[in-house]
Amino acid sequence: MGICAVGETEETPAQHRHPKTVQGALGGLLLGPRAGLARMRCPRPRRPDLGLVLAVATFAVLVLFSLHVSTPPSCLLPEKPLGTPEVLPWPSPPARPRPAPCLANASAAAHPDFAGQPRHVRDFLLYRHCRSFPLLQDASPDKCAQPVFLLLAIKSSPSNYERRELVRRTWGQERQVRGAQLRRLFLVGSAGHQHEARKVNRLLELEARTHGDILQWDFHDSFFNLTLKQVLFLEWQKTRCTDASFVLNGDDDVFAHTDNMVTYLQGLDPDQHLFVGHLIQNVGPIRVSWSKYYVPQVVTREERYPPYCGGGGFLLSRFTAAALRRAAPALDLFPIDDVFLGMCLEREGLKPTSHSGIRTAGVQAPSTRLSSFDPCFYRELLLVHRFLPYEMLLMWDALSQPDFTCGKRAQVF
Ligand SMILES: *[C@@H]1O[C@H](CO)[C@@H](O)[C@H](O)[C@H]1NC(C)=O
Ligand SMILES: *[C@@H]1O[C@H](CO)[C@@H](O)[C@H](O)[C@H]1NC(C)=O
C-alpha cells in the first residue's frame, strides 16, 4: 500500500540512491512503469471544481459511515506515517512453497581458528554443507529439445547484465555451426543484499522471459559459492540436458571462438573422457589472508591441489560431465570451483589436459609492434579470458568478416 505516497515522494530519492550504476540504469528502467502506475491510479485534477469535490467528498463520507469501513482507502492516506523510509514496493513474487532454509553449522563456528577468518571464509564454513537451493529461473523447456552439440554454460553474476547481452549478441548466439547446434545458458545466483536481490531478481525474470537462457538459484552469488553453482548446474543438466555432446563451462568475461570450438570438438567422441583448458598443476592453497584465493588450514590441511583447468573456460564431454556428477556428492565442497572439479576428476581416476588455444591467463602479443588485440591472434584460439563487453563486439565483428585475412594489413584497430 501507500502507492500514492511512493509515486509522488520516493521517485527522486530512489534515483539518487543508485546514481549512474548499472543497477541504477536498470532500476530506472524498472521504476518507470511502476511510478507511472502510481500516477495513473491517483490522478491529480488540474482545475478542481470545488462544488464537485465537495459533493464527491460528502458522498464518500456517507458511504464510509454506512458501510462501517474502518480502513481508509489507500489513495487518500498513506498507511505509514510520512517521513518513514519506504522500502520500494515491488509486487511480491508468486507464492511458492519454500523449502526450509539450510541452517548454519554451529560446530564449524566452535573451531578455534574460525573467529579469526575473513567474513567470506566464515560464511563458507558455516554453509559448506548446504547443497540444495530452489531454482528461481529455469531455462526454456525446449532448450535441449533438439540434440545439442555444444552447451554454453556461462557463470554470470546477477548484475552483469551488459556482459550477458554482449555474449548473446556475439560468440554465445544460439545457432548452428556446420550442422552442430549451440545452446546458451547463464548460471546465476542471487544478490547478497535483500533490496538489491529483489531488484536484480526482476531483471533476471525479464531476461529469462525474453531469452529463456537464465538458470538462477536462490543462493548468495559470491566467489566462494561458485562451486555450489557448478554442482547445481551439473544436477540440473542430469535431468534437463544430459545428452548434450559437449559443454563449454566458462565466465562471462571470456571471448570464446565458438566456431573454432565446434571444428575441434567435431573430431572427438562425446562418450570418451574430455576435460581441456588452461592446465594448472603443482600448486597448492594460498595461505595469505589478503589473497582472493586464500584458503586457510581450517578449510583444508592438504598442501597440494590435484591438476585442474582454470575456471575461466574449459570444455568437457558428456562422459566427463557424468563422472563429475558422480564424484561431487562424495566430496566436501571446496571454495575454489576449478580446484573442486580437479578433485572430482582425481576421484574418478581422470586427468584434465591442456589445450594451447585456451588462454585463461591472457595472451602475449608476439611482438611489441603488434597489439595483443589483433584478431589474427584469435583466429587460431578457442578461448581468451578478460574481455570488456565492447571488445567482445569488436572481436566478433572482425572475425566474422567474410574477407577477413591475416596478411600485412590485418590489423583493424
Ligand atoms: C560442521 O562442522 C564440523 C566442524 O568443521 C564438521 O566436522 C561437520 O561435518 C559439519 N557438519 C555438517 C553437517 O557439515
Ligand atoms: C553461499 O550461499 C549461501 C546461501 O545463500 C549463504 O548462506 C552463504 O553465506 C554463501 N557462502 C558464501 C561463501 O558466500
Side-chain angles (χ1 to χ4, degrees):
M1 288 299 179
I3 275 175
C4 294
V6 170
E8 289 172 16
T9 64
E10 284 290 308
E11 196 174 354
T12 313
Q15 283 164 355
H16 275 284
R17 271 199 297 274
H18 308 286
K20 294 192 203 76
T21 57
V22 178
Q23 296 93 325
L26 293 163
L29 183 99
L30 295 170
L31 271 171
R34 186 183 54 78
L37 181 73
R39 275 192 223 97
M40 206 167 63
R41 287 209 197 152
C42 314
R44 252 192 268 185
R46 288 267 157 73
R47 272 181 223 98
D49 179 322
L50 196 60
L52 186 65
V53 169
L54 277 175
V56 170
T58 313
F59 178 73
V61 167
L62 285 175
V63 168
L64 278 177
F65 275 104
S66 67
L67 293 177
H68 304 286
V69 174
S70 55
T71 49
S74 66
C75 279
L76 294 179
L77 285 172
E79 271 175 4
K80 290 186 183 180
L82 288 171
T84 309
E86 185 99 40
V87 174
L88 288 181
W90 294 123
S92 41
R96 53 182 118 195
R98 288 183 64 86
C102 180
L103 298 176
N105 178 357
S107 53
H111 192 284
D113 289 347
F114 178 86
Q117 298 302 330
R119 169 78 193 266
H120 64 285
V121 174
R122 285 183 277 139
D123 275 348
F124 173 78
L125 289 167
L126 289 175
Y127 297 99
R128 185 180 204 167
H129 59 286
C130 304
R131 291 182 181 232
S132 148
F133 290 92
L135 200 55
L136 295 178
Q137 300 298 333
D138 200 349
S140 61
D142 59 354
K143 179 61 64 180
C144 298
Q146 290 175 7
V148 176
F149 181 74
L150 179 57
L151 178 63
L152 311 172
I154 307 151
K155 290 167 275 185
S156 184
S157 297
S159 62
N160 282 4
Y161 171 72
E162 281 88 348
R163 292 200 175 280
R164 290 191 290 275
E165 274 300 293
L166 262 298
V167 169
R168 286 179 182 121
R169 286 175 58 187
T170 59
W171 59 265
Q173 278 172 34
E174 296 200 322
R175 63 196 196 278
Q176 268 198 29
V177 179
R178 282 183 299 285
Q181 293 283 349
L182 266 65
R183 288 290 175 270
R184 174 189 68 238
L185 281 176
F186 292 103
L187 317 180
V188 195
S190 298
H193 299 286
Q194 204 189 357
H195 169 62
E196 176 77 6
R198 289 210 284 171
K199 202 166 59 170
V200 181
N201 284 355
R202 296 262 299 183
L203 164 70
L204 289 162
E205 188 190 322
L206 201 66
E207 291 183 60
R209 223 183 313 133
T210 312
H211 302 286
D213 60 0
I214 301 289
L215 268 188
Q216 188 199 11
W217 294 270
D218 193 12
F219 68 83
H220 176 197
D221 198 316
S222 66
F223 181 59
F224 270 23
N225 263 345
L226 281 177
T227 304
L228 187 57
K229 191 179 268 192
Q230 196 71 61
V231 168
L232 287 167
F233 165 67
L234 286 169
E235 282 307 310
W236 178 90
Q237 203 207 345
K238 179 168 76 180
T239 54
R240 293 289 304 280
C241 205
T242 191
D243 286 337
S245 303
F246 298 97
V247 175
L248 165 66
N249 209 308
D251 291 343
D252 62 2
D253 62 347
V254 301
F255 184 87
H257 199 321
T258 35
D259 286 34
N260 282 0
M261 279 182 184
V262 169
T263 308
Y264 164 65
L265 293 169
Q266 277 181 330
L268 300 169
D269 180 357
D271 294 312
Q272 300 276 314
H273 168 56
L274 176 82
F275 194 97
V276 294
H278 172 77
L279 185 66
I280 301 170
Q281 44 192 348
N282 304 318
V283 300
I286 292 177
R287 304 293 196 190
V288 289
S289 64
W290 49 261
S291 168
K292 181 185 179 188
Y293 301 96
Y294 169 58
V295 173
Q297 295 238 340
V298 50
V299 171
T300 184
R301 307 194 73 80
E302 190 64 62
E303 289 299 335
R304 61 161 276 283
Y305 290 153
Y308 64 98
C309 287
F314 51 88
L315 288 162
L316 61 155
S317 63
R318 68 172 165 229
F319 172 93
T320 304
L324 295 174
R325 216 174 278 135
R326 268 195 309 276
L331 296 171
D332 278 344
L333 291 186
F334 190 76
I336 305 195
D337 63 324
D338 40 15
V339 174
F340 178 77
L341 292 183
M343 293 170 168
C344 292
L345 290 174
E346 184 175 60
R347 188 183 158 84
E348 289 288 313
L350 300 170
K351 285 189 161 57
T353 44
S354 177
H355 190 296
S356 61
I358 297 182
R359 310 283 184 89
T360 53
V363 174
Q364 288 287 309
S367 103
T368 49
R369 281 177 45 242
L370 290 171
S371 151
S372 68
F373 194 70
D374 189 325
C376 287
F377 298 140
Y378 295 90
R379 200 177 46 155
E380 308 291 327
L381 295 179
L382 295 188
L383 182 138
V384 183
H385 210 187
R386 301 257 180 277
F387 262 62
L388 293 172
Y390 85 88
E391 291 178 325
M392 271 187 209
L393 189 60
L394 291 178
M395 188 60 69
W396 178 254
D397 183 62
L399 291 173
S400 306
Q401 297 299 326
D403 53 353
F404 174 67
T405 50
C406 285
K408 284 179 300 227
R409 284 289 317 137
Q411 183 141 359
V412 289
F413 309 111

